[in-house]
Amino acid sequence: MENIFNQYKWPILIGTAGFILAILFLTVGLLQSMLKLILTIAGSVLGFYLQAHGILTYTNMAGWRNIMENSNRKEQNSKSETEIKNDNNNIRGALTYEDKVIQKIVGLSIGSIDGLLTVDGGFFSNIAEKIVNTNDETAGVGVEVGRKQVAVDLSIVAEYGKNIAEIYEEIKKIVAKQVSQMTELEVVEVNVDVTDIKTREQYEKDAVSLEDRATSA
């Protein structure tokens, strides 16, 4: 027997190992089948339980269905918006602004700054009170408009007793904000030349004189 075993040792060992592996595979396969069956039964039981207690109803299912449909619709709309944006990016062209457009934005934006009586010689001889309109859109407000940036030059009359440095900072802040908001151009420079200072009384007296002069003309 020993001689026969030694002679056929390797075939016997390989055959035994194959038999053991076959048993293991069958056992694992059986366990997998049993696990699938258990999960299926558990899912069915849970579904019946939820439905019996009113947790899972047709209405709830319809609600979930509506949520999923809305989600899919939003995703489709988002894709459509992206496609539209991509189409717009393929359209060639350029957006430009005349100097007078930026000048008007600057002039109108600074009209309510405390201590700023007027843009000297600008298209509003009286910004605060709007008494006289000289129709000169370039005097007092100078601009240099590039493709993406703007530089502004102003000549102003300040009110006596006010902090002129604070007036200047306010001008810069408001001008940069309004120009950027309306045109998306970046204001990189704001130069202010203070040509005169006047008291409020003196300024209003001069404004009335200008109005009389304009009326008589």
Side-chain angles (χ1 to χ4, degrees), residues 4 134 141 182-183:
I4 294 174
T134 65
V141 181
M182 295 186 67
T183 66

Side-chain angles (χ1 to χ4, degrees), residues 75-90:
E75 184 177 355
Q76 292 175 355
N77 291 338
S78 177
K79 290 181 179 179
S80 298
E81 290 176 0
T82 302
E83 290 174 357
I84 291 173
K85 289 180 180 178
N86 290 336
D87 290 340
N88 289 338
N89 290 336
N90 293 330

Side-chain angles (χ1 to χ4, degrees), residues 4 8 17 27 38 43 47 56 67 77 89 91 95 103 107 112 116 126 133 141 145 153 167 171 189 196 199:
I4 294 174
Y8 297 102
T27 303
I38 292 171
L56 182 64
I67 291 174
N77 291 338
N89 290 336
I91 299 175
L95 175 64
Q103 289 170 335
S112 60
L116 175 59
N126 180 348
N133 183 355
V141 181
V145 183
D153 296 315
I167 295 173
I171 289 173
E189 186 176 328
D196 198 358
T199 64

Side-chain angles (χ1 to χ4, degrees), residues 19-42:
F19 179 73
I20 293 172
L21 289 173
I23 293 175
L24 289 175
F25 282 128
L26 288 173
T27 303
V28 172
L30 180 61
L31 289 175
Q32 287 179 345
S33 300
M34 291 180 64
L35 181 61
K36 290 179 181 178
L37 179 61
I38 292 171
L39 290 175
T40 302
I41 294 172

